[in-house]
């Protein structure tokens, strides 16, 4: 299994995963490779060849967060990997765990985010020092694929509704195409209730009454923003995993970034990356181990004495991982 620890808190939280994998006695052998800031400092490349070689061979990876300079400098490693391996489907489940202090408790939403195009396609042009353009790319093929994935998930997991989120009232061509294609796909799933929600209204609805949503499918940028908003509803960014799925390859990660403000302090919450690891285990058909991790997290997070700093507690990353492992070994 490829392991990319990543930048910032990446090393701290991926150590937690390695320890948990060992406690579970999984047969996983980690093929650890470095990408991101550290790789750039060492080799001058953000994604060195050995990273591609490892991913090409293993086809499944767990990735820590990677720092991207804001507003200048190199292209995001995450976006590059998603494009290179055509990791078209991004899945982000938003659920309340244990007794975490959350703004809303009864939330259970799965967000499907198109992962390769939209404004993230990286088609930008500097027209003059005072003018820059970003081109929004939406295609029928990518839209159909992500919307179908959302409906198929809904059917397979006994979900009752899918909300299609766009801003098609304003971007009539690009978002208009996404909505048109999504409606066509939805027609094939009459048993699932389909809702169409504009992204601005969706932001408000999610804050006020997230319980009304089940599965959400949307474009790249809206999905990115809404999933952070949803993480905020259920206790924060340290709790939400994400899967980037391609045709025969998948990269699992936490939704959060490298958290430079807390890096190296041993206070990061490893829950999101542990949940991403559980999703990875499901993907490679080790469902029993995945279930054990989720159950251990739910139990440990049912006691406020086990909370890390982001949840209002004082456990370090290592101490929290110790409690998860003790729970697993019971
Ligand atoms: P961030 O997610 O790194 O941090 C936002 C806030 O959430 C910070 O206060 C941070 O301390 C907190 N936080 C995040 N994860 C946490 C955890 N596990 N435990 C406790 N608290 C946690 O977002 P940012 O500050 O906007 O971005 C920092 C860097 O990460 C940027 O370079 C950005 O490009 C990059 N980033 C990478 C990814 C990725 O690799 N998938 C995703 C998002 C951002």
């Amino acid at each position: 299994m490829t392991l990319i620890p990543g930048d910032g808190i990446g090393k701290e939280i991926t150590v937690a995963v390695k320890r948990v994998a060992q406690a579970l006695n999984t047969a996983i052998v980690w093929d650890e490779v470095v990408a991101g800031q550290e790789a750039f400092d060492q080799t001058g490349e953000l994604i060195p060849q050995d990273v591609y070689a490892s991913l090409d061979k293993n086809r499944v990876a767990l990735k820590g967060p990677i720092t991207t300079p804001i507003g200048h400098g190199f292209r995001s490693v995450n976006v590059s990997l998603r494009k290179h391996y055509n990791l078209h489907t991004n899945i982000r489940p938003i659920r309340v765990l244990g007794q975490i202090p959350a703004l809303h408790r009864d939330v259970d939403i799965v967000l499907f985010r198109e992962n390769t195009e939209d404004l993230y396609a990286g088609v930008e042009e500097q027209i003059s020092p005072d003018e820059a353009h970003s081109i929004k790319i939406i295609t029928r093929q990518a839209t159909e694929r992500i919307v179908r994935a959302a409906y198929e998930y809904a059917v397979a997991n006994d979900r009752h509704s899918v909300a299609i989120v766009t801003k098609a009232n304003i971007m009539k061509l690009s978002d208009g195409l996404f909505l048109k294609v999504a409606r066509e796909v939805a027609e094939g799933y009459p048993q699932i209730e389909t809702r169409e929600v504009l992204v601005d209204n969706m932001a408000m609805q999610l804050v006020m009454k997230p319980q009304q949503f089940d599965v959400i499918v949307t474009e790249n940028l809206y999905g990115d923003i809404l999933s952070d908003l949803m993480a905020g509803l259920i206790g924060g960014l340290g709790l939400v995993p994400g899967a980037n799925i391609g045709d025969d390859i998948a990269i699992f990660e936490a939704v959060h970034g490298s958290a430079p403000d807390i890096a190296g302090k041993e206070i990061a919450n490893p829950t999101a990356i542990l949940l991403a690891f559980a999703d990875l285990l499901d993907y490679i058909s080790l469902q029993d181990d995945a279930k054990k991790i989720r159950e251990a997290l739910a139990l440990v997070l049912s006691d406020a004495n086990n909370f890390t700093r982001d949840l209002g507690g004082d456990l370090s990353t290592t101490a929290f991982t110790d409690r998860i492992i003790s729970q697993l070994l019971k």
Side-chain angles (χ1 to χ4, degrees), residues 74-242:
F74 47 73
R75 184 174 191 188
S76 155
V77 168
N78 304 308
V79 174
S80 300
L81 289 175
R82 288 170 193 166
K83 286 281 280 186
H84 182 86
Y85 288 108
N86 192 20
L87 302 168
H88 39 74
T89 302
N90 186 250
I91 308 173
R92 298 182 162 183
I94 319 283
R95 285 185 197 107
V96 179
L97 283 167
Q99 290 306 313
I100 281 171
L103 291 174
H104 292 278
R105 297 217 61 79
D106 46 349
V107 177
D108 183 1
I109 305 173
V110 181
L111 181 122
F112 280 72
R113 165 189 173 193
E114 200 292 318
N115 219 15
T116 55
E117 47 186 36
D118 188 3
L119 286 163
Y120 286 44
V123 187
E124 291 199 292
E125 195 180 354
Q126 192 78 46
I127 304 300
S128 76
D130 298 320
E131 185 174 345
H133 295 181
S134 280
I135 311 284
K136 175 165 184 161
I137 307 218
I138 299 291
T139 66
R140 167 175 285 277
Q141 191 205 23
T143 304
E144 204 174 307
R145 196 168 42 202
I146 191 69
V147 178
R148 195 167 296 288
Y151 277 89
E152 284 296 321
Y153 176 91
V155 171
N157 292 279
D158 270 339
R159 298 281 182 153
H160 64 272
S161 90
V162 174
I164 302 162
V165 178
T166 66
K167 188 75 181 167
N169 54 331
I170 303 296
M171 280 160 282
K172 295 185 190 292
L173 296 184
S174 52
D175 284 31
L177 176 62
F178 190 96
L179 183 56
K180 178 175 181 291
V181 173
R183 282 176 179 161
E184 288 169 15
V185 173
E187 272 177 25
Y189 299 87
Q191 70 276 42
I192 305 285
E193 180 203 357
T194 295
R195 295 182 59 181
E196 296 174 12
V197 189
L198 296 175
V199 65
D200 42 351
N201 180 29
M202 186 51 133
M204 190 276 288
Q205 295 291 341
L206 280 170
V207 171
M208 300 285 293
K209 215 168 159 242
Q211 300 79 4
Q212 62 184 299
F213 298 106
D214 193 356
V215 175
I216 295 175
V217 62
T218 190
E219 297 166 19
N220 207 335
L221 178 62
Y222 306 147
D224 197 3
I225 296 169
L226 291 178
S227 58
D228 268 32
L229 184 155
M230 288 192 267
L233 297 177
I234 58 138
L237 273 170
L239 303 166
V240 181

Side-chain angles (χ1 to χ4, degrees), residues 9 13 63-70 78 82 237-238 253-262 267-270 310:
I9 59 172
I13 58 174
K63 189 188 75 58
I66 291 187
T67 300
T68 307
I70 294 171
N78 304 308
R82 288 170 193 166
L237 273 170
E253 63 184 349
V255 162
H256 62 73
S258 53
D261 53 337
I262 57 165
I267 56 172
N269 186 345
D310 53 312

